[in-house]
Amino acid sequence: MYDFTLVKPKNLADAVAAIADGAQALSGGQTLLPTMKQRLADPGTLVSLSGIPELHGVCKGDGGIIIGGATPHAVVAREAAKYYPALAALANQIGDPAVRNRGTIGGSIANNDPSACYPAAALGSGAIIQTNTREIAADDYFRGMFETALHEGEIVTGVKFPVPQKAAYIKFVQPASRFALVGAFVAQFADGVRVAITGASNNGVFRWAEAEAALSANFAPKALMGLTLPADDMISDLHGTAEYRAHLCGVMVKRAVMAA
Amino acid sequence: MTKTTMTVNGKSVSAATEGRTLLSAYLRDGLGLTGTHIGCDTSQCGACVVHVDGLAVKSCSVFAQDIEGADVKTIEGMANADGSLSVLQQAFQDHHGLQCGFCTPGMVMSSAALLAENPNPTEHQVRDYLEGNLCRCTGYHNIVKAVMAASDQAVPAE
Ligand SMILES: Cc1cc2nc3c(=O)[nH]c(=O)nc-3n(C[C@H](O)[C@H](O)[C@H](O)COP(=O)(O)OP(=O)(O)OC[C@H]3O[C@@H](n4cnc5c(N)ncnc54)[C@H](O)[C@@H]3O)c2cc1C
Ligand code: FES
Ligand code: FES
C-alpha cells in the first residue's frame, strides 16, 4: 500500500476543508482498504470521518428517518429497527458482524458497488442523499456502476429515508462475498409501490417500472406472473449468467412481496 | 513515523506507525502480539479479528492511527488472570474446536463478541455470526459445539 497521511477532524467543516484540498474520505475502510492494498488508490491524505459526531446516528426527522453518513451498518441494524424494520434487516445482512461494525452507509452509497445492498434500499425507498452542499433524490443520485451524482470533494452527510407502509429486502447471497448476486427491495407507499434491484445490471441499481405498476395495482406475488426483464444488460460472471440473473430478479421481487 | 497509543489488553501501549500501518501490523510487529493471525489480509477470513471498544473488527482492515486511544482486546487478553484458559477457550479445547489452530484466535474473538451480545445464541445464530471466520480444518461443527457449550447450552448432535 502507498503510504499516506491520516487526519482525523472532529467536525464536518474541517473534514470538508481537508477534502477540498484534495484529500480523500475514509469512512469504515471496508472497501477503501482493499483497494489501497492493491495499489489501485494513492490518496496522499485520508480524512477519517469516524470521529465526527454529527455524521453518526439514526434519528427520526420530518418525513422519515435520517441516518448519519458515517453510521456503521451494525448501528443501523440496531437503531433503525423500531422505525424502519426492512432497512434495519438489510443492514443486518451486509457481510459479516466485523464488516458491519466498521462499514458505513455513506461509504456504501458513495461507492455504489453494483452488488451492494444500501443502494437498493435508497432507490427503493425514494430516499434523499444529503451532502455537505445539497440534497439529491435517489432517482438522480445513482448513475451506473460505481458512478454517482457526487462532485469531487462532496461528502455524504446523511441519508433520509421516507418510511413506507410495508417493505422488504431479499437478496440471493453470493456465498463467497455475501454481496447480492441479485437483491430486490420492495416498498409500498400510499401513492404506489417502488421496486429497486441490485446485483443484476451492468448499470448498477435500477427501478423495475413494470413490476412497480403491477404491484401498485395489486400488491401480491401473482401480480408479477408473466413479467420478465431482458438479459441484455445483466451482469454475467462465473457466479451466474445474465439470463440467470434476469430470472432471479423476478424471483427475488416475488419473495420480497411475500416477506413485506 | 508517529507514535500511536492505545490500550491493549488493559495496558496502555504505544508503537511507531505510518498512516498505512494496519491494526494487525501494529499488534504483531509493533507490540509483538503475534496471536492475532493474518490469513488473507483482504477482510475475508477473520483470522485477524480483535475487539475494538468491545466490537469485533478485522484488524487487517483498520488503520492503527484511525483508532488511536481505543480499547483493544486480542487473544492474548482472553485467558483468566491466573493464566488458565477462559471458559470459551477451554470449550474449544474440550470440543476439538481447532485442528491446526490458525483460525482459532479469530474464532475465539468473534465467538466472545457474540456471547457478549447474546449469551444464549441458537445454533443458527452461532453459524450466522461466524460467517466471516473461515476454517480450513474443522468443518465448523466442533467450533459451533464449543460456542454452544461455552454458553452453557446443549451441544448439537453430530
Ligand atoms: C467481507 C465483506 C463483505 C461485504 N459484504 C457486503 C454486502 O453483503 N453488501 C454490501 O452492500 N456491502 C458489502 N460489503 C461492503 C461494505 O458494506 C462496505 O463497508 C461499504 O461498501 C463501504 O463502506 P465503508 O464505510 O467501509 O467505506 P470506505 O471503504 O471507507 O469508503 C469507500 C469509498 O467511499 C468514499 N466515501 C466514504 N465515505 C464517504 C462519504 N461519507 N462521502 C463521500 N464519499 C465517501 C471513500 O473515499 C471511498 O472511495 C462487504 C465488505 C467486505 C469487506
Ligand atoms: S487476515 Fe484479516 S480477514 Fe483475513
Ligand atoms: S483449525 Fe485450521 S484453519 Fe481452523
Side-chain angles (χ1 to χ4, degrees):
Chain A
M1 190 187 309
Y2 298 112
D3 197 21
F4 61 89
T5 304
L6 184 110
V7 295
K8 202 169 167 184
K10 294 201 163 54
N11 61 59
L12 181 59
D14 290 350
V16 169
I19 291 171
D21 276 346
Q24 187 175 349
L26 167 69
S27 200
Q30 301 302 290
T31 295
L32 188 54
L33 260 90
T35 316
M36 290 176 65
K37 285 180 182 177
Q38 292 175 298
R39 296 198 165 183
L40 295 173
D42 183 9
T45 300
L46 281 186
V47 181
S48 169
L49 305 180
S50 64
I52 304 178
E54 57 211 283
L55 295 181
H56 284 263
V58 174
C59 68
K60 206 165 158 35
D62 271 354
I65 63 163
I66 300 172
I67 299 177
T71 310
H73 310 325
V75 174
V76 177
R78 212 169 45 237
E79 294 183 9
K82 60 179 174 294
Y83 304 122
Y84 194 168
L87 180 67
L90 172 144
N92 205 33
Q93 290 169 50
I94 294 176
D96 56 60
V99 168
R100 294 195 287 273
N101 281 334
R102 294 293 300 174
T104 67
I105 189 167
S108 177
I109 295 281
N111 195 49
N112 192 18
D113 188 296
S115 304
C117 301
Y118 270 127
L123 191 62
S125 307
I128 306 283
I129 317 301
Q130 304 175 320
T131 78
N132 54 308
T133 56
R134 57 189 170 138
E135 298 207 323
I136 312 167
D139 284 319
D140 302 321
Y141 175 87
F142 298 102
R143 296 279 175 86
M145 199 182 261
F146 298 111
E147 295 280 338
T148 70
L150 291 176
H151 298 313
E152 193 81 18
E154 200 170 359
I155 300 181
V156 175
T157 54
V159 185
K160 183 155 96 185
F161 288 90
V163 180
Q165 295 160 337
K166 279 183 178 180
Y169 174 68
I170 300 285
K171 75 170 162 178
F172 193 95
V173 173
Q174 200 274 75
S177 76
R178 301 275 271 168
F179 276 86
L181 190 66
V182 170
F185 196 97
V186 171
Q188 184 179 39
F189 291 91
D191 59 355
V193 173
R194 292 174 71 104
V195 176
I197 309 268
T198 188
S201 168
N202 279 317
N203 297 315
V205 68
F206 68 95
R207 283 173 69 185
W208 184 3
E210 291 80 7
E212 291 183 352
L215 291 170
S216 295
N218 176 18
F219 194 74
K222 66 171 189 290
L224 298 160
M225 287 306 212
L227 280 189
T228 53
L229 277 166
D232 314 352
D233 266 342
M234 296 285 166
I235 299 169
S236 204
D237 60 20
L238 79 166
H239 306 295
T241 61
E243 291 71 22
Y244 182 60
R245 280 188 165 82
H247 175 71
L248 271 186
C249 291
V251 178
M252 292 302 110
V253 175
K254 280 183 201 133
R255 287 187 191 169
V257 171
M258 281 191 283
Chain B
M1 286 275 188
T2 53
K3 219 169 163 187
T4 300
T5 302
M6 49 186 98
T7 303
V8 177
N9 300 327
K11 282 205 252 358
S12 176
V13 293
S14 42
T17 58
E18 297 181 305
R20 65 182 164 183
T21 303
L22 301 169
L23 176 57
S24 49
Y26 178 89
L27 294 169
R28 291 175 55 86
D29 307 337
L31 304 178
L33 295 175
T34 53
T36 297
H37 290 170
I38 317 285
C40 64
D41 204 24
T42 54
S43 30
Q44 303 299 318
C45 74
C48 67
V49 168
V50 301
H51 299 176
V52 173
D53 294 329
L55 302 175
V57 306
K58 292 174 175 173
S59 62
C60 73
S61 301
V62 177
F63 292 121
Q65 290 182 4
D66 197 22
I67 61 153
E68 166 120 52
D71 189 5
V72 176
K73 192 163 188 179
T74 71
I75 189 70
E76 286 89 348
M78 291 304 283
N80 299 321
D82 65 359
S84 61
L85 294 180
S86 65
V87 171
L88 179 59
Q89 289 170 307
Q90 188 61 51
F92 268 72
Q93 190 181 78
D94 294 346
H95 293 273
H96 302 283
L98 63 153
Q99 286 186 25
C100 79
F102 196 84
C103 69
T104 314
M107 287 290 180
V108 170
M109 297 314 287
S110 283
S111 305
L114 165 65
L115 296 180
E117 246 175 65
N118 177 359
N120 292 300
T122 62
E123 181 184 347
H124 176 78
Q125 286 170 329
V126 174
R127 289 183 187 276
D128 192 52
Y129 203 92
L130 295 178
E131 183 62 45
N133 291 80
L134 304 183
C135 176
R136 309 316 306 259
C137 304
T138 66
Y140 300 101
H141 296 308
N142 288 354
I143 293 172
V144 175
K145 282 185 195 171
V147 180
M148 297 299 282
S151 60
D152 233 354
Q153 302 189 84
V155 168
E158 284 306 323

